[in-house]
Amino acid sequence: MGSLSFGISYFVPLTFSVLLLMSHLCNGFYLPGSYMHTYSTGEEIFVKVNSLTSIETELPFSYYSLPYCQPPNGIKKSAENLGELLMGDQIDNSPYRFHMNLNESLFLCVTKPLNEDEVKVLKQRTRDLYQVNVILDNLPALRYAEQNGIRIQWTGFPVGFRTQTGNEDYIINHLKLKVLVHEYEGAGAPVLITGDEGMGIVTESNEKKGSGFEIVGFEVEPCSIKRNTDAMLKLKMYDKIEPTETCPAGRDGFQVIREQERVAFTYEVEFVKSDIRWPSRWDAYLKMEGAKVHWFSILNSLMVIFFLAGIVFVIFLRTVRRDLTRYEELDKEAQAQMNEELSGWKLVVGDVFREPEQPKLLCVMVGNGVQIGGMAVVSIVFAALGFMSPASRGMLLTGMIVLYLFLGIAAGYVAVRLWRTIEGDSIGWRSVSWSVACFFPGVAFIILTALNFLLWGSKSTGAIPISLYFMLFFLWFCISVPLTLLGGFMGTRAEPIEFPVRTNQIPREIPAGKYPSWLLVLGAGTLPFGTLFIELFFIMSSIWLGRFYYVFGFLLIVLVLLVIVCAEVSVVLTYMHLCVEDWRWWWKAFFASGSVALYVFLYSINYLVFDLSSLSGPVSAMLYLGYSLLMAFAIMLSTGAIGFLISFYFVHYLFSSVKID
């Protein structure tokens, strides 16, 4: 009763504060435009700007870190969710303003003469290929270009450029924007719409209110145009100017980046009616390329699975079943005589469940692996079903963090129940539960804090602010920790797992092998990696090259195949070690599948060398390696837990069928 009252007294008071925090977060992080918004003709539409990003450095910077025109009413940050903050997104308002269905060509501002620092930063951002990310009605701007007869699309536009023949840098100071709109009649089934004033339902009674135009596309063509700044200084913001038919083609018409140079910023907008419907407006961003490669990856994984399944089939039906059946048919005298002639896995019956080295660490790592694996499975299932749309930036990462917090109950339960199984009692369950709650978050905190100092030193928006650190700590301490302790308490009350055979007092000597057993364990990771590496390329391209990844259906299939391969590999390796009378299978079962993380990290280094060869500076490389190390560590815990739990069930089933006194 003391343990129960401890858990309840710790958990219940925090529940109310957590609910209050979550309701505050829901209000604070609400992002308008997640659902359809209809605009009437002439209605004002405002463009937002996100952080400047580059695949050359992977360091995001604020849009207003460069000498761009500012909104007349000042800079205002938009509400951001937890995922956006962690990814370094900083969404601000901008001076770009449209009127629905009104084509305009407008003046924004003329900068002060550029000083030495501004020129230096502009040139550095230009040479690092930084992109300006503008957003209209939650749609990022698309830019199209022709390369070798192929139409290529990007999101955003460059800060500037350098010609191939010259040594001057030029700034993008004029935008030709195209807005694709679809006329919505407001008839038919009720439709949910939203705006800055909140959400509502469009029904037949308010069709007229819901009628209007939907924004279904947003395209940009960037230009660099040298303007007569003396004449432009006489204009006010949003004064009309002559439209630009085509962007200048020669250096003489470009706006150079130079000290004491003034830059005039202008833009023009064109509204074009489109047949694209609002639910399909993201199709242009999510065009799935390389479907054949995904299917090849899946077929490759299936071949590995069938190969391993054949080995497992032989082990179970031909070897294990045959030995057990023949053994059970003997009388007691014959069994006693056979016990003296036993060989292989049957010889370790008195040692197979002997306590492993570092049992507490094993329990903690298995518990964390269950927590991370459960988070990954649920997140990918929801994403595959379409619940985590790219229109909701940061939603996937936010959902993963929330799932991780609440799955602390599963981590605590598995770790403490495994601890009870190994030790035979519940003494020390609180220590195990606290270790589970702190182990992976502690490693992640150390890595992210080290990387954060690099980001702070670079003045990047990717740096996690101190306030967010406290928020994450509060969420961890108020949700994950109490739920982990609650799961641990439930583990102490669950039915204990009894070992089917007794353990001898004196451990059996393990015969010397021809080769180190850990060599086979590390080599086993190549099979799970074979199922994963093709999909891993697309995921890493999405993370580091700024591409959209939305083939979660393929990823879900690959995840299922990965789980099967990890289970099969661990069972086969465990059986092979038992056959050579090596009863120390606990950690080897964990790392047989968990060693896939080693190959994931090595592949990350390969990707850095060959696919991110343009990555500039040691800070960017250290950021990449730090995040890759954290990802590999999480993969090791989750795949290792899968392999260990399946191997534990296999060993328990195997020796529960052996009748030895």
Side-chain angles (χ1 to χ4, degrees):
M1 289 299 292
S3 299
L4 178 61
S5 61
F6 168 79
I8 292 176
S9 63
Y10 181 69
F11 180 70
V12 171
L14 291 175
T15 303
F16 297 101
S17 60
V18 169
L19 290 175
L20 288 173
L21 176 67
M22 295 301 287
S23 64
H24 170 72
L25 293 179
C26 290
N27 292 328
F29 292 159
Y30 170 70
L31 184 62
S34 298
Y35 297 92
M36 184 178 71
H37 188 142
T38 57
Y39 300 88
S40 57
T41 299
E43 183 178 349
E44 280 190 334
I45 311 170
F46 295 95
V47 175
K48 296 180 180 180
V49 289
N50 203 342
S51 301
L52 307 173
T53 55
S54 168
I55 61 173
E56 297 279 322
T57 66
E58 304 297 344
L59 296 171
F61 289 98
S62 169
Y63 174 83
Y64 292 108
S65 63
L66 297 182
Y68 287 131
C69 304
Q70 298 190 5
N73 297 324
I75 302 170
K76 297 177 183 178
K77 298 183 183 299
S78 294
E80 296 171 315
N81 59 44
L82 191 58
E84 288 177 300
L85 292 171
L86 290 173
M87 291 190 300
D89 287 348
Q90 182 176 312
I91 302 173
D92 302 316
N93 61 335
S94 81
Y96 295 101
R97 182 194 68 185
F98 309 153
H99 293 87
M100 175 57 71
N101 283 333
L102 180 60
N103 297 341
E104 297 176 296
S105 183
L106 304 175
F107 164 77
L108 276 182
C109 74
V110 175
T111 66
K112 296 178 181 178
L114 298 177
N115 58 40
E116 181 181 356
D117 292 337
E118 290 172 332
V119 169
K120 182 179 178 181
V121 172
L122 276 172
K123 287 187 174 183
Q124 189 63 49
R125 298 287 184 269
T126 298
R127 293 167 187 175
D128 287 338
L129 304 182
Y130 269 87
Q131 301 288 309
V132 180
N133 300 291
V134 291
I135 304 166
L136 178 66
D137 195 46
N138 212 29
L139 281 178
L142 276 180
R143 175 168 58 97
Y144 295 97
E146 293 281 341
Q147 285 188 0
N148 301 322
I150 301 174
R151 195 186 195 203
I152 301 175
Q153 70 178 40
W154 291 273
T155 54
F157 61 90
V159 169
F161 61 93
R162 169 178 283 196
T163 59
Q164 295 180 350
T165 56
N167 57 359
E168 292 280 5
D169 296 294
Y170 304 96
I171 189 172
I172 298 296
N173 64 334
H174 180 77
L175 302 181
K176 300 182 70 173
L177 300 158
K178 182 190 291 185
V179 181
L180 305 181
V181 296
H182 179 84
E183 188 170 4
Y184 175 69
E185 300 296 340
V191 176
L192 181 65
I193 65 169
T194 188
D196 294 329
E197 298 177 358
M199 294 184 293
I201 300 293
V202 179
T203 59
E204 292 182 1
S205 60
N206 59 358
E207 283 181 9
K208 191 172 182 180
K209 181 181 177 182
S211 299
F213 294 90
E214 311 158 349
I215 295 176
V216 294
F218 186 36
E219 300 174 7
V220 60
E221 181 184 350
C223 302
S224 179
I225 303 177
K226 185 172 180 58
R227 304 279 192 180
N228 184 345
T229 53
D230 293 334
M232 288 284 181
L233 283 171
K234 300 176 183 178
L235 300 177
K236 296 180 180 179
M237 184 176 284
Y238 303 127
D239 281 352
K240 294 185 178 180
I241 60 173
E242 289 294 322
T244 304
E245 293 186 5
T246 58
C247 295
R251 287 184 297 170
D252 294 337
F254 297 152
Q255 175 60 58
V256 69
I257 300 174
R258 188 184 297 147
E259 283 189 53
Q260 300 305 313
E261 190 83 16
R262 289 179 178 268
V263 180
F265 287 93
T266 55
Y267 72 97
E268 56 188 273
V269 58
E270 177 187 11
F271 287 85
V272 179
K273 289 190 176 181
S274 171
D275 293 330
I276 300 173
R277 300 299 302 270
W278 191 89
S280 304
R281 66 181 193 157
W282 275 90
D283 290 356
Y285 302 84
L286 305 178
K287 289 179 180 177
M288 188 181 67
E289 299 177 358
K292 292 182 179 179
V293 178
H294 290 280
W295 283 117
F296 173 78
S297 170
I298 291 171
L299 290 175
N300 175 59
S301 304
L302 286 173
M303 292 177 64
V304 175
I305 284 176
F306 287 135
F307 171 72
L308 292 173
I311 298 177
V312 174
F313 178 80
V314 169
I315 290 173
F316 270 105
L317 297 185
R318 296 194 58 186
T319 307
V320 178
R321 276 294 184 185
R322 184 187 61 197
D323 289 352
L324 291 176
T325 303
R326 188 178 64 181
Y327 187 81
E328 291 171 356
E329 289 175 351
L330 300 175
D331 55 27
K332 290 186 177 180
E333 291 185 6
Q335 284 185 13
Q337 182 180 357
M338 186 176 177
N339 286 344
E340 299 177 0
E341 302 174 356
L342 289 177
S343 61
W345 61 269
K346 296 176 284 294
L347 282 173
V348 298
V349 67
D351 298 274
V352 69
F353 291 109
R354 188 176 300 281
E355 182 179 308
E357 296 179 358
Q358 301 294 330
K360 182 179 177 181
L361 179 60
L362 178 63
C363 296
V364 169
M365 293 177 73
V366 170
N368 277 136
V370 169
Q371 188 175 11
I372 295 169
M375 172 200 70
V377 170
V378 176
S379 299
I380 293 172
V381 167
F382 273 86
L385 294 175
F387 287 100
M388 296 181 180
S389 167
S392 303
R393 288 176 300 276
M395 186 58 67
L396 181 60
L397 184 55
T398 303
M400 292 174 68
I401 293 173
V402 171
L403 283 170
Y404 179 84
L405 293 173
F406 282 96
L407 283 171
I409 191 168
Y413 176 83
V414 171
V416 170
R417 194 170 185 199
L418 180 60
W419 172 257
R420 284 189 66 203
T421 300
I422 295 174
E423 296 294 330
D425 53 48
S426 301
I427 298 175
W429 73 269
R430 289 189 184 90
S431 175
V432 172
S433 298
W434 273 103
S435 299
V436 170
C438 299
F439 182 66
F440 180 74
V443 172
F445 174 80
I446 292 171
I447 294 176
L448 292 178
T449 301
L451 298 180
N452 219 42
F453 279 114
L454 297 177
L455 292 168
W456 275 331
S458 302
K459 299 180 180 179
S460 168
T461 59
I464 302 174
I466 294 294
S467 59
L468 186 57
Y469 262 111
F470 282 109
M471 184 182 296
L472 290 172
F473 176 80
F474 185 79
L475 290 173
W476 169 77
F477 187 75
C478 295
I479 298 179
S480 184
V481 170
L483 285 177
T484 305
L485 290 172
L486 179 62
F489 175 77
M490 293 169 62
T492 63
R493 294 295 182 265
E495 194 71 22
I497 302 173
E498 299 290 342
F499 291 143
V501 293
R502 292 198 302 268
T503 301
N504 297 333
Q505 291 184 353
I506 302 175
R508 180 183 180 84
E509 184 178 354
I510 300 173
K514 296 181 180 179
Y515 49 84
S517 59
W518 282 103
L519 192 63
L520 189 61
V521 170
L522 292 177
T526 56
L527 293 172
F529 180 72
T531 19
L532 184 65
F533 83 97
I534 293 180
E535 207 63 33
L536 188 63
F537 169 81
F538 289 97
I539 294 172
M540 297 189 72
S541 297
S542 170
I543 295 173
W544 300 108
L545 296 180
R547 300 172 184 169
F548 285 100
Y549 183 88
Y550 207 60
V551 286
F552 288 105
F554 282 113
L555 185 58
L556 180 60
I557 296 173
V558 170
L559 179 65
V560 172
L561 299 179
L562 177 65
V563 170
I564 296 172
V565 172
C566 287
E568 292 177 343
V569 163
S570 289
V571 166
V572 172
L573 263 291
T574 299
Y575 181 76
M576 290 174 64
H577 282 105
L578 293 178
C579 283
V580 295
E581 303 176 30
D582 187 351
W583 45 266
R584 296 172 303 183
W585 61 272
W586 302 77
W587 280 107
K588 291 169 184 174
F590 184 92
F591 285 112
S593 54
S595 60
V596 66
L598 173 64
Y599 299 97
V600 169
F601 187 70
L602 292 176
Y603 179 79
S604 301
I605 296 175
N606 173 80
Y607 190 86
L608 172 64
V609 173
F610 294 102
D611 294 277
L612 291 179
S613 55
S614 60
L615 203 64
S616 60
V619 173
S620 301
M622 291 178 69
L623 284 172
Y624 173 86
L625 292 174
Y627 289 128
S628 298
L629 180 62
L630 183 60
M631 178 183 69
F633 184 65
I635 290 173
M636 182 199 70
L637 292 176
S638 54
T639 55
I642 293 167
F644 173 81
L645 293 173
I646 297 297
S647 294
F648 182 86
Y649 173 79
F650 166 73
V651 173
H652 191 279
Y653 169 79
L654 180 62
F655 285 91
S656 64
S657 305
V658 179
K659 300 176 182 177
I660 294 181
D661 295 331

